[in-house]
Amino acid sequence: MALLHLRRTISPRNSFLFLLRSSTSFTKARTFSNTTTLFSPHLLSNSVSHKLPSATLPSFDFLKQSRRGFAKGKNKSKDDSAGGTVEFVDIGPTVKETANSQMDAAVVALSRELQKLRTGRASAGMLDHIIVETDGVKLPLNRSAVVSVMDAKTLSVNPYDPNTLKQLENAIVSSPLGLNPQRDGDRLIAAIPPLTKEHTQAMCKVVAKSCEDCRQSIRRARQKAMDTVKKAGSSFPKDDAKKLEKEIEEMTKKFVKSAEDMCNNKEKEIKTG
């Protein structure tokens, strides 16, 4: 009887423990089930899409697009990375103007050199390079007197100040022209003697050398212009660069021809006396 009462006493306690354990297991299972359901991709997508606007969700191709964009960024040129665009500079007018000025200066210098050479024919400019010193001041002869051609073999020198007549005479005699002027009142008369064969040959050699020096000066100006075009690089369009180089070549030929024609005429003048 006591044993039966003990079983009845234990039995309700076991039942209570069984129910307690079952309740705990059920709660854990339910919690796991809810957690699994909450993080299910399908339900997560539906849940998020239900709560948030679709525009705020990034695309699943985001990483792929970012990688592609990064790869493209590696292949960008320096110009693109610097500013995205290349600015073209029109250097044509400046280059042509500079080259033209330098080539013209070379031809003008040649003309002055050729005027210094005496020929058998009188020329008003043949005395321009002579320097006259009066009262400690040195001036070109053409600023101290008026030189005119009396005939093909005679020059007339009329000083602005008659008191400088002696200084003018000494300067002309000291020049390499080989002239011996004579006084005629307040002026000087300079007869142009005929050239000897040796003098003619020497003058022709001087003309040839002066012509070559002028050609070299013109070509140096051309080379400087070409170097400027090349240094411009990508900042100057290729088609415009080719066009500019062609124009520089034509300019060079024009000035070289002008120098050669000037020297040829001077040689003829020397030889025909």
Side-chain angles (χ1 to χ4, degrees), residues 147-158:
V147 180
S148 57
V149 178
M150 298 180 63
D151 54 50
K153 299 291 184 179
T154 309
L155 289 176
S156 173
V157 181
N158 297 275

Side-chain angles (χ1 to χ4, degrees), residues 166-180:
K166 180 64 176 177
Q167 288 84 347
L168 288 171
E169 181 181 1
N170 293 336
I172 294 173
V173 172
S174 301
S175 71
L177 296 177
L179 302 180
N180 188 20

Side-chain angles (χ1 to χ4, degrees), residues 17 52 59 64 70-71 77 79 89-90 128 138 140 144 156 167 177 181 194 202 209 221 234 252 271-272:
L17 293 175
L52 299 176
S59 172
K64 186 186 296 183
F70 180 75
S77 63
D79 295 333
V89 181
D90 187 7
D128 289 348
K138 295 181 179 180
S144 301
S156 173
Q167 288 84 347
L177 296 177
K209 184 180 184 304
S234 59
T252 302
K271 290 178 180 179
T272 56

Side-chain angles (χ1 to χ4, degrees), residues 55-217:
T56 60
L57 292 177
S59 172
F60 285 104
D61 292 334
F62 173 75
L63 294 177
K64 186 186 296 183
Q65 292 175 358
S66 299
R67 291 175 62 187
R68 289 180 179 176
F70 180 75
K72 290 181 180 179
K74 290 184 178 179
N75 295 330
K76 285 186 178 181
S77 63
K78 294 182 179 179
D79 295 333
D80 290 339
S81 62
T85 58
V86 178
E87 294 183 1
F88 294 114
V89 181
D90 187 7
I91 62 174
T94 303
V95 172
K96 288 191 293 184
E97 182 179 356
T98 303
N100 185 84
S101 177
Q102 293 174 348
M103 294 178 186
D104 184 66
V107 174
V108 171
L110 173 65
S111 177
R112 291 175 180 173
E113 289 297 321
L114 296 180
Q115 286 180 358
K116 297 178 183 179
L117 301 179
R118 182 174 74 84
T119 64
R121 189 177 297 274
S123 173
M126 65 187 300
L127 304 180
D128 289 348
H129 67 283
I130 297 176
I131 302 299
V132 181
E133 183 175 357
T134 57
D135 297 331
V137 179
K138 295 181 179 180
L139 295 173
L141 189 143
N142 59 359
R143 295 183 60 182
S144 301
V146 176
V147 180
S148 57
V149 178
M150 298 180 63
D151 54 50
K153 299 291 184 179
T154 309
L155 289 176
S156 173
V157 181
N158 297 275
Y160 295 122
D161 183 1
N163 295 327
T164 62
L165 192 63
K166 180 64 176 177
Q167 288 84 347
L168 288 171
E169 181 181 1
N170 293 336
I172 294 173
V173 172
S174 301
S175 71
L177 296 177
L179 302 180
N180 188 20
Q182 302 294 323
R183 292 190 182 189
D184 182 19
D186 292 336
R187 67 176 183 175
L188 296 173
I189 303 297
I192 309 300
L195 295 175
T196 62
K197 184 177 180 180
E198 292 77 10
H199 195 185
T200 299
Q201 292 176 351
M203 289 297 101
C204 288
K205 289 181 180 179
V206 172
V207 171
K209 184 180 184 304
S210 298
C211 187
E212 181 60 27
D213 291 343
C214 182
R215 276 196 291 260
Q216 293 296 331
S217 297

